[in-house]
Amino acid sequence: MELMASRINFIDLYSFGNELDASVIETLMEDYDISCSVRTLNSPHDADEYFEKRIAVEEDKVENARRIINAALRNGVISKEGRFRA
């Protein structure tokens, strides 16, 4: 039996600046078995002031992840400071 590697595409779904939100969202994704990646980016306008965080999820899990994040926003589990990118 021959194994074939499959390519998994990650999509930047949501951006925010809060470290606590990053931890909560990452945990929520794990709870729902959604692979994710959190990256931290410098602001191009003032590198000393603000670091943007982005969460990327598997392309085929974007809608599920969006529902999970929306529920967390509605329930006050994460701050409303973020925005959807996809």
Side-chain angles (χ1 to χ4, degrees), residues 6 13 19 43 46 49 53 67-68 85-86:
S6 61
L13 175 62
E19 187 67 42
S43 168
D46 193 350
E49 276 297 311
K53 297 191 177 306
R67 283 192 286 275
I68 293 164
R85 304 189 66 79

Side-chain angles (χ1 to χ4, degrees), residues 8-16 22 25-26 29-30 34-41 53-62 65-66 69 83 85-86:
I8 299 174
N9 291 321
F10 281 80
I11 304 293
D12 281 343
L13 175 62
Y14 193 69
S15 62
F16 47 94
I25 293 171
E26 209 169 6
M29 294 302 127
E30 288 173 7
I34 297 175
S35 296
C36 69
S37 171
V38 176
R39 297 179 297 145
T40 302
L41 307 165
K53 297 191 177 306
R54 290 186 185 176
I55 188 160
V57 298
E58 294 176 58
E59 186 174 33
D60 63 339
K61 305 275 177 100
V62 166
R66 181 189 311 278
I69 292 171
R83 69 180 179 95
R85 304 189 66 79

Side-chain angles (χ1 to χ4, degrees), residues 18-29:
N18 185 316
E19 187 67 42
L20 180 59
D21 285 350
S23 178
V24 170
I25 293 171
E26 209 169 6
T27 299
L28 287 169
M29 294 302 127

